[in-house]
Amino acid sequence: SRTSTKLTTGVTDIFTKKKLDEDTLEELEDLLLSADLGTGPTEEVVGRLRRERVGQDVTDEEVKAILAEVVADTLRPLEKPLAVNPSHAPHVILVVGVNGAGKTTTIGKLASKMKAEGHSVLLAAGDTFRAAAIEQLAVWGERANVPVLTKPNGADAAGLAYEAIEKARTEGHDVVLIDTAGRLQNRSELMDELGKIVRVIKKLAPEAPHDTLLVLDATVGQNAISQASAFTEIAGVTGLVMTKLDGTARGGILVALGDKFELPIHYIGVGEGIDDLRPFDAGEFARALTADV
Amino acid sequence: MFDTLSERLGGVFDRLRGRGALTEEDVTEALREVRVALIEADVALPVARSFVAKVKERAVGREVLKSITPGQQVVKIVHDVLVETLGGSEGDHELNLNRPAPVPVLMVGLQGSGKTTSTAKIALRLQKTEKKKVLMASLDTRRPAAMEQLKVLGEQAGVKTLPIVAGQSALQIANRAMEAARLQGFDVVMLDTAGRLSIDEQLMAEVSDIHRATDPAETLLVLDALTGQDAVQTAERFKERMPVTGVVLTRLDGDGRGGAALSMREVTGAPIKFAGVGEKIDALDAFDPERMAGRILGMGDIVGLVEKA
Ligand SMILES: Nc1nc2c(ncn2[C@@H]2O[C@H](COP(=O)(O)OP(=O)(O)OP(=O)(O)O)[C@@H](O)[C@H]2O)c(=O)[nH]1
Ligand SMILES: Nc1nc2c(ncn2[C@@H]2O[C@H](COP(=O)(O)OP(=O)(O)OP(=O)(O)O)[C@@H](O)[C@H]2O)c(=O)[nH]1
Ligand SMILES: [Mg+2]
Ligand SMILES: [Mg+2]
């Protein structure tokens, strides 16, 4: 229908019509904000065009190139696949995020990947709340062929995390991936519970968790900013994974997040299969994002 | 981090000092701020644009009320148009199950949007408040433990679920559910489906086959209220494949501004029927357009003020 055509041909629409003037820049600004790039990167693109090109003819291709450059420059320093350090014995990875973001699935994919890299992996089914969350992780454990520590529904998640680290120590696993229940960042009682999981882990291993991954759904809008800031405050997020980039969502909010928080972006999820996890590539991401603008 | 619309309009307000009718100039300047505020509240750009055009048409030439400023007058119009757009007509927000039993209700949406949870919530509600006999069936043959999840929720809610039979296709399960409901005298059959991307041709074809075979009285598209600009794509592509009769907006217990609600409403034309407000099985509200409008605009304050005027 008309609306989506308008959305996808945004830059082309604006820049085949007329010379670069304030109106065009304003339209471009709207477009970039609506791609969730955030005000910083948006201002940078618009500012650059205003300084360098006002009054001249500018092609849509040039605008897209500048945009891709700004996006790639913002995100390139954040490319950083997760590295397991077996000397931590075990390397503890806590996985957090809002409901339905893709935490459990991402753990399944990571487990398979780490196992293939030769690590001994233990999963901890720390979502003892949601219906059949434990069974879901257990299936992923089977698929990745790694053991899963579970406790009955309703069990204390912090206690389970503690036991998982103990178990990894006695059994000699290199890495423990801890699943947690989805929680919205404004629900303080649930965030307190997450804070407690981190504190209890630290009692046993003061340096742990060595990585705390915030899993974000690519369809999320501006709320991702509040998610990143709340989960970082409570759980000390050290890196991001963005899921569901195989859909129509382009995840432009990563640019705003990168600009604001400078958290490494470890991986992107591109499907529901066990191998559908890719290292984050800023250049590729920038091209995909701008192709659509 | 979000400016409320009233803060955003602050600068424009100051310049809009005159009384009398709103001029096109006044309105244009204010509406630029409104458009940006809507985008920041996750309203998709094309939807924000057409919305603003509607507001402009309504606002130009309008007399400014004595007790408020011209800026506030613009905000009131924005709010009113928003409530109207989100709201639709009387009775739109109820489920329409006026059919011979068993009446199928189909739940569809992207992965992780809240379909399974909402299925159980709606089933519980129908059973409790409308005294319907409800059967739930999971047609999710893909996600690990998806059927188990619905079964557990059924136990929690005291709602029957179709026994799990391994190896059946989603369509076969749908047919079995309808058959079981006919034989066992259920009033309503809630069909939960696997999450799917709107560009996944195979899965979109699967769900449209299910739709054709069961001819549901309601096809509810479940959308996460934290969704951003992508709501438009989702709405369009699902609508292309099946008539969406209603929207369920989940995670309204979050602090998202919820502009996706407006995008969904505009693009599908379907009314928003329910609001998910938590993970618990009873955390389901009827959709309230007034509250949603205030939330998108981030401005319960000024609306109250204008209302009194
Ligand atoms: N298409 C696609 N689907 C994904 C991806 N990652 C996860 N999913 C799907 O998203 C849905 C939710 O994933 P989960 O892993 O259960 O999410 P979660 O964060 O653990 O959810 P809760 O534990 O309920 O908070 C499932 O249907 C997954 O199959 C991805 O990269 N692409
Ligand atoms: N806070 C909150 N969480 C919700 C709400 N609705 C669902 N959830 C949670 O969101 C997550 C995903 O919900 P599901 O019902 O499994 O979503 P789904 O659409 O069936 O997911 P797939 O089948 O994997 O596509 C779960 O953790 C639910 O508890 C809501 O209104 N508020
Ligand atoms: Mg999970
Ligand atoms: Mg489901």
Side-chain angles (χ1 to χ4, degrees), chain B residues 45-175:
Chain B
L45 177 60
V47 175
R49 280 187 182 144
S50 70
F51 177 83
V52 162
K54 231 191 289 182
V55 170
K56 184 167 178 179
E57 203 173 289
R58 183 86 65 93
V60 173
R62 181 77 74 90
E63 287 297 317
V64 178
L65 296 174
K66 281 253 153 33
S67 51
I68 59 178
T69 68
Q72 288 167 335
Q73 179 79 51
V74 173
V75 172
K76 176 170 165 50
I77 296 168
V78 169
H79 178 262
D80 291 350
V81 176
L82 195 50
V83 172
E84 282 169 32
T85 311
L86 287 167
S89 24
E90 190 85 24
D92 265 3
H93 303 286
E94 327 251 303
L95 288 181
N96 182 1
L97 303 177
N98 247 331
R99 287 258 194 103
V103 185
V105 174
L106 184 64
M107 307 291 285
V108 302
L110 299 181
Q111 284 95 346
S113 55
K115 295 173 295 300
T116 305
T117 311
S118 302
T119 299
K121 287 177 178 178
I122 294 171
L124 173 64
R125 190 187 182 92
L126 289 173
Q127 204 166 268
K128 227 166 93 181
T129 59
E130 297 185 29
K131 307 286 175 242
K132 304 266 193 205
K133 199 177 159 202
V134 184
L135 178 67
M136 303 193 290
S138 168
L139 317 187
D140 187 346
T141 56
R142 294 163 43 87
R143 168 172 166 173
M147 295 190 179
E148 182 72 12
Q149 184 188 358
L150 189 67
K151 177 169 173 251
V152 172
L153 291 172
E155 282 158 12
Q156 285 173 11
V159 175
K160 288 260 168 24
T161 47
L162 185 74
I164 297 172
V165 174
Q168 287 196 318
S169 72
L171 185 59
Q172 285 169 332
I173 302 169
N175 290 330

Side-chain angles (χ1 to χ4, degrees), chain A residues 95-113:
Chain A
V95 180
V96 304
V98 298
N99 309 80
K103 297 175 291 300
T104 307
T105 307
T106 300
I107 289 176
K109 294 172 182 176
L110 282 172
S112 160
K113 185 179 176 57

